[in-house]
Amino acid sequence: MPIAAKDTDPVTDNTININVLYFASLADKANCNEESVTVSQSTSLTQLYEQLSEKHGFSHSPLELKVAINDYFAQWTDSIENGDNVVFITPVAGG
């Protein structure tokens, strides 16, 4: 008989739950527009992007992207908190 997963408290187990939104080529590669992710509290935005790149095969480096947290542009050095919405924004060409 399988053991049921217990509910975990993000504060006590040192993990946080965040929501990642995908647009443009990242949405195409991830094959979704949105994904819930559980990561360590100490995970940086760069580490998060690297983990998602491995999972989905993203070809952009973090240097090519902008990042936003909760609808505001952020720095790659900003921290993420439980419940945050994170968006990685690909380069946009226009004319």
Side-chain angles (χ1 to χ4, degrees):
M1 175 183 217
I3 298 174
K6 67 176 186 171
D7 289 349
T8 57
D9 179 359
V11 174
T12 59
D13 70 3
N14 295 322
T15 61
I16 57 173
N17 298 308
I18 59 169
N19 195 42
V20 181
L21 305 173
Y22 298 113
F23 298 99
S25 62
L26 297 181
D28 292 341
K29 277 288 207 182
N31 201 30
C32 65
N33 295 320
E34 185 173 334
E35 176 177 26
S36 294
V37 180
T38 301
V39 295
S40 166
Q41 282 181 324
S42 62
T43 300
S44 71
L45 286 165
T46 303
Q47 291 168 326
L48 172 63
Y49 181 73
E50 288 170 355
Q51 290 172 13
L52 295 170
S53 290
E54 282 184 32
K55 178 178 180 181
H56 297 298
F58 298 151
S59 59
H60 295 287
S61 81
L63 298 174
E64 299 175 273
L65 305 173
K66 300 279 187 201
V67 62
I69 302 172
N70 299 326
D71 300 325
Y72 293 96
F73 282 107
Q75 300 297 315
W76 284 94
T77 54
D78 290 349
S79 61
I80 48 179
E81 304 291 332
N82 192 49
D84 280 349
N85 290 314
V86 176
V87 180
F88 298 106
I89 303 162
T90 58
V92 178

